[in-house]
Amino acid sequence: GNSVTQMEGPVTLSEEAFLTINCTYTATGYPSLFWYVQYPGEGLQLLLKATKADDKGSNKGFEATYRKETTSFHLEKGSVQVSDSAVYFCALGGSTLGRLYFGRGTQLTVWP
Amino acid sequence: GAGVSQSPRYKVTKRGQDVALRCDPISGHVSLYWYRQALGQGPEFLTDFNYEAQQDKSGLPNDRFSAERPEGSISTLTIQRTEQRDSAMYRCASTPGTGQETQYFGPGTRLLVL
C-alpha cells in the first residue's frame, strides 16, 4: 500500500542554519511526491512537488529530490529564516487515485 | 481568484447532535477531496468526488459520516450523532482535473464535540 514516514519534530534552528526534514515513502505504481506547509493560523499550501524519479522540486529556497532508489523525498533549505517557522507535511499521490497520503508533519521553529 | 472556502470555520456541538460542514471549491474545479486531521497528525483521506459522483468513500470511518456534492460544486460533509472522537480539523481540497494534480486546500473547519 501507500504510506509516508516523516521525521518527527519538533525541529528548532537558529536563523541561517541548514534544514533537512526526512521523508520516506512506500508506494505502488508511480506516485507524485509533495511537500505542503502550514503557517500559523493558515491552511495547507503546496510548497513544492516532483512527479517522477530524479525530479527536483524547488520553491522559496526549499528543495527536494524524488529518489526512487532510496524511496525518499527529503526537504532541504540552505539558510532558514524566522518566517519559515511552520508545520511541514510530506505527501504522496497515488498513481491512479487523486487522494493524498500525508506524513504526520514536522513542526519547524526558527529563532532569530 | 477566490480559493477554496469552508464553513463554518469553527463548530462546537454537543455529543449526539448532527453537524454539516460545507466546502466551496475553486470555481470550475472537477475534483473535491475531504480529509480529517487529528491534533499532531497529518490529514487523512475521507472521501472524494469527480463532479457530482462520489469516487472513493473508503476513508469514511463509519456510517455516521456521509458526503454529497449534488451539483458538482459545493460539497457537504455530514456527521450524524456526533461523538467526542469526531473532534478534529476537517479539510477540503479541490483540483482542476483528476489524478495527481496539486490539491488546493481550504482553511478547514475545526470541530469540537463536547
Side-chain angles (χ1 to χ4, degrees):
Chain A
N2 297 319
S3 67
V4 172
T5 301
Q6 188 174 338
M7 169 178 156
E8 292 199 16
V11 174
T12 304
L13 296 173
S14 297
E15 207 166 23
E16 299 183 3
F18 184 84
L19 169 71
T20 300
I21 301 177
N22 290 336
C23 171
T24 56
Y25 68 90
T26 303
T28 55
Y30 304 95
S32 292
L33 298 172
F34 305 83
W35 277 100
Y36 278 83
V37 59
Q38 183 178 2
Y39 297 103
E42 299 184 16
L44 287 169
Q45 303 174 23
L46 178 70
L47 180 60
L48 54 84
K49 69 177 184 181
T51 58
K52 60 183 187 297
D54 299 325
D55 269 3
K56 177 186 285 188
S58 61
N59 186 26
K60 299 182 181 180
F62 291 89
E63 293 183 340
T65 301
Y66 188 157
R67 302 282 189 201
K68 192 174 181 181
E69 63 276 13
T70 54
T71 61
S72 65
F73 193 56
H74 305 321
L75 182 68
E76 296 182 336
K77 186 174 186 182
S79 176
V80 293
Q81 305 300 312
V82 173
S83 57
D84 294 327
S85 297
V87 182
Y88 293 81
F89 293 92
C90 184
L92 177 155
S95 58
T96 55
L97 301 173
R99 61 182 288 184
L100 294 175
Y101 299 81
F102 284 88
R104 62 187 301 165
T106 301
Q107 171 76 55
L108 170 66
T109 302
V110 180
W111 295 98
Chain B
V4 178
S5 60
Q6 291 185 247
S7 61
R9 293 290 307 277
Y10 303 92
K11 178 69 176 178
V12 181
T13 190
K14 292 184 179 179
R15 188 177 54 187
Q17 297 295 304
D18 297 350
V19 296
L21 311 181
R22 173 185 163 126
C23 173
D24 195 348
I26 294 172
S27 178
H29 275 200
V30 168
S31 296
L32 184 147
Y33 303 84
W34 283 100
Y35 295 86
R36 179 169 71 172
Q37 185 176 5
L39 206 59
Q41 302 293 320
E44 291 186 348
F45 173 81
L46 293 175
T47 188
D48 64 351
F49 293 84
N50 281 352
Y51 298 102
E52 72 281 1
Q54 193 167 17
Q55 296 294 298
D56 180 358
K57 50 184 180 179
S58 64
L60 296 175
N62 52 59
D63 60 7
R64 296 186 296 106
F65 287 73
S66 63
E68 62 175 9
R69 193 186 185 199
E71 297 179 358
S73 179
I74 293 169
S75 177
T76 302
L77 177 70
T78 301
I79 309 173
Q80 295 179 313
R81 305 180 302 281
T82 53
E83 300 178 4
Q84 288 184 329
R85 60 179 171 157
D86 299 334
S87 297
M89 175 72 83
Y90 288 83
R91 298 193 182 276
C92 174
S94 69
T95 62
T98 60
Q100 297 183 52
E101 297 178 289
T102 299
Q103 294 191 10
Y104 296 87
F105 282 83
T109 295
R110 171 74 67 187
L111 175 65
L112 177 61
V113 182
L114 301 177

